[in-house]
Amino acid sequence: MRLRSRTTLALACAGATLLSLSACGSGLNGGKASDDGKKTGVTIKVLIASSGDAETNALTAAGKAWGKKTGNKVVVTPAKDITQELTQALAGGTPPDLFYVDAAKFQGLSKSLADVGEKVTDSSDVYPSLQKTFTKDGKYYCVPKDFSTLALEINTTLWSKAGLTDADIPTTWAQLETVAKKLTTSKVTGLVMGDTLDRVGAFMHQAGGSVTSADGSKITADSAANLTALKYVQKLSKEGVLKFPAQVSAGWGGEAFGKGSAAMTIEGNWIVGALKNDFPNVKYKVVPLPAGPKGNATLSFTQCWGVAAQGTHQTATVDFVDYLTSVDQQVAFSKAFGVMPSRQAAKSQFVSLYPDQQAFVTGADNAFGPVGFTGFDAVQKDFDSKIAGLSDGSSDPKSMLSSLQKNATAALQSAG
């Protein structure tokens, strides 16, 4: 399962980064594309980071259907490590025609992408927050294939046992604290969530803060709004009504929730499949994250269909992306492996199929994507390592933000 947190960038050649691969080979040089202009009779090579056989088989089937329709052939390859394999292919000048681009890697990969976002039919139908994630310098590079957002999951059995009803579902920070206290017992913690910026960041946005400016050009981590968010998290953790996975012997929030050691957790829609497979007897509901001082906000996690700037079959590849991102095909993917369509036009069909997941879909209206510039992985890793310390006072919110500001600024400057 994909728990949506960052991994360290694997490098394909000594000293290389996704922004400096041209030094390793001629494949990534930001030059003109060598598109052959053909619409038929070509083979499209696709590299994916698959969640499993269901996803791989669904994409392979889609490729065969499109190929039969257009006279082309599609070869889908699930990567063992897409960062490493894609980096090597780009450096060697032999990139796949089409590949997954994670939102957190987009900024570093943008120079290797063809600017094709607006060439796809009705591309403006994609949720605006997702379009923004894959836009740089005014160019909409690639169309999101699907997305996830964070929401609040509630164990309804423990909820009722605590004497709570639907009227108590929290819509504010104060209410979240109140119900977390009522749900906490000697064996159950009211709320368990991951000790990562990919969870805590939601509270920052709810307080009106962020790690970067809206255009990503400045670091804004050390702010009063972000301090308010961390102090709120610290308050709940010191009260013992909020804990992090390791504190309840769990690997992630979903595991703690499934085992019943957490009455609530904050995860994305990937938790649906995880609970179905590992904890099928848990009864729960999903609701939007409570609003903070500045309103509702959540985090989004997405990937786009990246078309190689140096690909030789761009015309046919864009046509394939058009097929993959059609409403019917996105709904088909939802049925096959549980993802949420990135097109707003598919929202009603998805909610009709999965009414219990509506909170995840509506989160798109106030969702913020990840920080995506090269070098931020290491910065976040340092920040994440301090979050659990909020519960025992070993970490100070102000110091954490000051360090995040300093480290992120240095990384952004290095990224250029």
Side-chain angles (χ1 to χ4, degrees):
M1 87 192 64
R2 290 172 291 180
L3 305 186
R4 307 293 181 177
S5 60
R6 302 165 192 274
T7 55
T8 303
L9 181 64
L11 300 181
C13 58
T17 70
L18 288 175
L19 283 177
S20 61
L21 278 171
S22 57
C24 307
S26 59
L28 179 61
N29 54 31
K32 295 182 179 180
S34 52
D35 181 24
D36 56 20
K38 294 181 179 180
K39 294 184 177 180
T40 188
V42 302
T43 296
I44 304 299
K45 296 180 180 179
V46 185
L47 184 68
I48 67 172
S50 180
S51 59
D53 290 342
E55 182 170 357
T56 301
N57 293 340
L59 286 170
T60 299
K64 288 182 178 179
W66 175 79
K68 183 177 181 180
K69 177 182 177 182
T70 61
N72 294 307
K73 181 180 180 181
V74 176
V75 177
V76 176
T77 302
K80 292 182 179 179
D81 184 334
I82 193 168
T83 299
Q84 182 177 13
E85 292 174 40
L86 182 58
T87 303
Q88 291 174 335
L90 291 169
T94 56
D97 299 285
L98 188 65
F99 45 89
Y100 284 7
V101 176
D102 190 83
K105 304 295 184 185
F106 167 68
Q107 294 294 329
L109 277 170
S110 61
K111 289 185 178 180
S112 66
L113 300 176
D115 174 16
V116 300
E118 295 183 358
K119 294 182 180 180
V120 174
T121 303
D122 295 329
S123 61
S124 61
D125 177 53
V126 173
Y127 289 99
S129 62
L130 303 182
Q131 291 186 50
K132 182 178 179 181
T133 296
F134 296 109
T135 298
K136 182 178 181 181
D137 298 330
K139 295 181 179 180
Y140 178 26
Y141 279 88
C142 50
V143 178
K145 67 183 190 68
D146 50 52
F147 76 107
S148 305
T149 65
L150 297 180
L152 181 69
E153 292 79 34
I154 296 172
N155 182 311
T156 52
T157 300
L158 295 176
W159 187 264
S160 297
K161 188 176 180 180
L164 298 168
T165 68
D166 283 351
D168 298 302
I169 291 176
T171 58
T172 65
W173 281 7
Q175 293 172 1
L176 178 61
E177 181 179 9
T178 296
V179 296
K181 288 180 178 178
K182 291 184 178 180
L183 290 164
T184 299
T185 67
S186 60
K187 296 182 179 180
V188 178
T189 301
L191 174 64
V192 175
M193 68 174 189
D195 47 338
T196 168
L197 183 63
D198 293 330
R199 301 295 178 273
V200 174
F203 292 96
M204 291 180 173
H205 284 288
Q206 291 161 12
S210 62
V211 175
T212 69
S213 56
D215 63 1
S217 64
K218 297 180 181 179
I219 302 301
T220 58
D222 194 2
S223 69
N226 288 339
L227 183 60
T228 296
L230 287 191
K231 284 186 174 180
Y232 174 74
V233 172
Q234 182 183 51
K235 184 175 186 288
L236 268 60
S237 60
K238 283 189 173 182
E239 291 172 344
V241 301
L242 162 64
K243 291 183 180 178
F244 304 107
Q247 294 174 320
V248 294
S249 301
W252 65 295
E255 181 184 355
F257 188 75
K259 289 180 175 179
S261 55
M264 300 183 293
T265 191
I266 295 175
E267 289 292 342
N269 55 303
W270 51 83
I271 195 175
V272 175
L275 292 175
K276 182 178 179 180
N277 293 332
D278 300 332
F279 306 100
N281 297 321
V282 174
K283 296 180 179 180
Y284 69 101
K285 67 168 50 181
V286 183
V287 301
L289 294 182
K294 296 298 182 180
N296 291 100
T298 186
L299 301 183
S300 65
F301 304 88
T302 183
Q303 296 174 321
C304 76
W305 287 110
V307 176
Q310 298 304 310
T312 55
H313 309 307
Q314 283 187 24
T315 298
T317 301
V318 171
D319 186 68
F320 184 38
V321 173
D322 205 48
Y323 179 85
L324 292 172
T325 57
S326 66
V327 171
D328 288 345
Q329 190 57 54
Q330 287 204 335
V331 172
F333 287 152
S334 295
K335 294 177 180 178
F337 53 100
V339 292
M340 295 196 306
S342 62
R343 286 192 178 276
Q344 298 177 82
K347 178 179 179 179
S348 60
Q349 290 188 59
F350 181 84
V351 172
S352 178
L353 288 168
Y354 309 106
D356 293 341
Q357 297 189 46
Q358 184 168 357
F360 292 124
V361 180
T362 56
D365 296 333
N366 47 57
F368 295 85
V371 178
F373 61 82
T374 302
F376 189 73
D377 282 342
V379 175
Q380 180 175 333
K381 184 177 181 180
D382 176 73
F383 178 82
D384 288 354
S385 70
K386 301 170 184 176
I387 293 176
L390 291 171
S391 60
D392 62 9
S394 59
S395 293
D396 172 65
K398 179 63 177 175
S399 297
M400 289 174 63
L401 293 174
S402 177
S403 179
L404 178 59
Q405 179 76 28
K406 178 181 178 181
N407 294 339
T409 298
L412 181 60
Q413 291 174 344
S414 295

